[in-house]
Amino acid sequence: MKFHLLGSAMISSAIRLYLTGKKGYLTLVGAVEFIEAGLHVEVIIGRDANVANDYSNDMVTLCIKSKIPYHIYPSEPDSEYDYIIAAGWQRMIRNVNENKIIVFHDSLLPKYRGFAPLVNALLNREAKVGVTALVGASEYDVGDIYHQESISVSYPVSIGEMIDTVSELYASLVKTIILKINSRTLITLPQSHAEASYSLWRDDEDYKITWSQRAVDIEHFINCVGFPYLGATTTVDNQLLRVQSASAVADVHIENRMPGKIIFKTKNGNPVVVCGEGLLQLNSVLTESGEVFKMNKFRTRFK
């Protein structure tokens, strides 16, 4: 989406960007367009060890190319700013005026306040997901709303695909916010707190496959926590494995159904696992070191 910079109007604002991940990177891409029109930008880049690519190096490269001052967190500048925009940011921003902080949150608030909102929205098979620009506040994600961007979801879909799609919304959102700042039309609407829901943080325990669930739900779960996250986990003989790809297949009548046990092996050697309901074919399974898991015995139980 190409924006016209309000005719020949110059942008004299100073904005500090706190950015992490692909969403942060595409927010920076959106903001770069305005630099020639006079927007002053400084960037604080956060790193995230929990994803395969946190885009920190890409942001450094773009900052150097566009001659944008940047810092790697926890280093921060002392310079003045009109607004702070935080996109993909996962840390507290302290000692600043809350009314000067604009937070980009990847849910359609007031739903999914809190942590990992996109993953949890996909796990719940929401029909729409999106991004909200809101006023920063001492309590997370309760501030008034500046603007929202949304998109419909068609399942099945992977978390990687949706991050790509939602990240594009970040680029569009930052352009809208900058134009509103420049035209002095940046106004807010209050959230409906009665309609709020919360999204909990996720850790290693939340990546574990529960084999007693339906095969179609386990397949959906694997799609929702895959790349760029580390992926759904299971164990065999106390060895941690990560299931990268799987597909539900037709069930058979099992007299003594025990979820987690292998029942068949495909011509390609892929195990077919019994679930609480249905069967799940494991198409790609890696060890913790990233090697392809080799099933040495048919009588294998995934836990």
Side-chain angles (χ1 to χ4, degrees):
M1 184 181 297
K2 185 74 173 178
F3 284 71
H4 297 288
L5 304 185
L6 301 179
S8 59
M10 294 296 291
I11 301 176
S12 59
S13 301
I15 294 178
R16 185 182 296 177
L17 300 174
Y18 285 76
L19 307 175
T20 304
K22 185 167 187 177
K23 298 164 192 172
Y25 172 68
L26 285 180
T27 299
L28 178 59
V29 170
V32 163
E33 181 178 325
F34 295 86
I35 291 177
E36 292 183 1
L39 179 70
H40 178 71
V41 175
E42 288 184 322
V43 177
I44 293 84
I45 299 170
R47 292 196 164 119
D48 184 356
N50 294 317
V51 296
N53 179 11
D54 67 2
Y55 283 82
S56 58
N57 292 333
D58 300 86
M59 286 188 271
V60 168
T61 299
L62 181 55
C63 285
I64 293 172
K65 178 181 178 181
S66 304
K67 299 180 180 179
I68 299 172
Y70 71 92
H71 298 256
I72 304 296
Y73 184 85
S75 176
E76 298 181 70
D78 296 325
S79 55
E80 296 294 322
Y81 57 86
D82 296 299
Y83 286 96
I84 284 174
I85 294 177
W89 196 254
Q90 301 169 3
R91 303 171 176 87
M92 292 294 293
I93 301 175
R94 304 183 186 279
N95 303 318
V96 297
N97 185 333
E98 290 179 354
N99 291 326
K100 294 292 186 179
I101 300 179
I102 302 173
V103 176
F104 287 7
H105 179 75
D106 53 349
S107 82
L108 297 173
L109 293 171
K111 300 296 185 182
Y112 295 94
R113 292 174 176 174
F115 305 87
L118 180 57
V119 172
N120 289 325
L122 294 179
L123 285 170
N124 288 342
R125 293 182 172 88
E126 295 286 357
K128 282 189 174 184
V129 297
V131 185
T132 300
L134 70 152
V135 178
S138 55
E139 298 179 46
Y140 56 78
D141 306 326
V142 301
D144 292 349
I145 293 173
Y146 289 114
H147 191 71
Q148 291 183 319
E149 300 270 355
S150 67
I151 191 166
S152 298
V153 186
S154 178
Y155 296 95
V157 67
S158 70
I159 182 63
E161 292 171 322
M162 287 312 303
I163 287 176
D164 287 344
T165 301
V166 170
S167 296
E168 295 292 342
L169 297 182
Y170 273 67
S172 174
L173 186 59
V174 74
K175 294 175 183 180
T176 297
I177 294 299
I178 290 172
L179 289 172
K180 287 178 178 290
I181 289 172
N182 191 52
S183 61
R184 294 178 173 81
T185 58
L186 190 64
I187 59 175
T188 61
L189 294 173
Q191 293 190 43
S192 174
H193 300 298
E195 298 178 4
S197 67
Y198 286 83
S199 179
L200 294 177
W201 50 270
R202 305 183 68 85
D203 62 13
D204 290 344
E205 291 292 315
D206 298 302
Y207 286 93
K208 291 182 178 179
I209 293 172
T210 303
W211 292 104
S212 59
Q213 294 180 337
R214 299 187 307 162
V216 291
D217 293 331
I218 297 174
E219 177 187 1
H220 178 66
F221 172 74
I222 292 167
N223 287 337
C224 289
V225 299
F227 184 85
Y229 298 99
L230 295 176
T233 62
T234 188
T235 60
V236 169
D237 297 329
N238 296 317
Q239 179 186 14
L240 182 70
L241 303 173
R242 295 196 180 271
V243 181
Q244 303 291 308
S245 174
S247 51
V249 297
D251 202 2
V252 295
H253 179 74
I254 302 172
E255 297 288 359
N256 58 333
R257 181 174 289 270
M258 294 185 181
K261 284 188 175 183
I262 291 177
I263 186 171
F264 303 122
K265 188 167 67 171
T266 69
K267 293 180 180 179
N268 294 327
N270 296 332
V272 178
V273 184
V274 176
C275 303
E277 179 182 317
L279 305 177
L280 191 71
Q281 178 179 309
L282 306 187
N283 301 318
S284 176
V285 182
L286 303 179
T287 65
E288 190 71 342
S289 61
E291 298 175 350
V292 176
F293 171 66
K294 295 180 180 179
M295 189 176 65
N296 296 320
K297 57 182 180 178
F298 182 85
R299 292 189 178 188
T300 297
R301 183 197 295 262
F302 292 94
K303 296 182 179 180

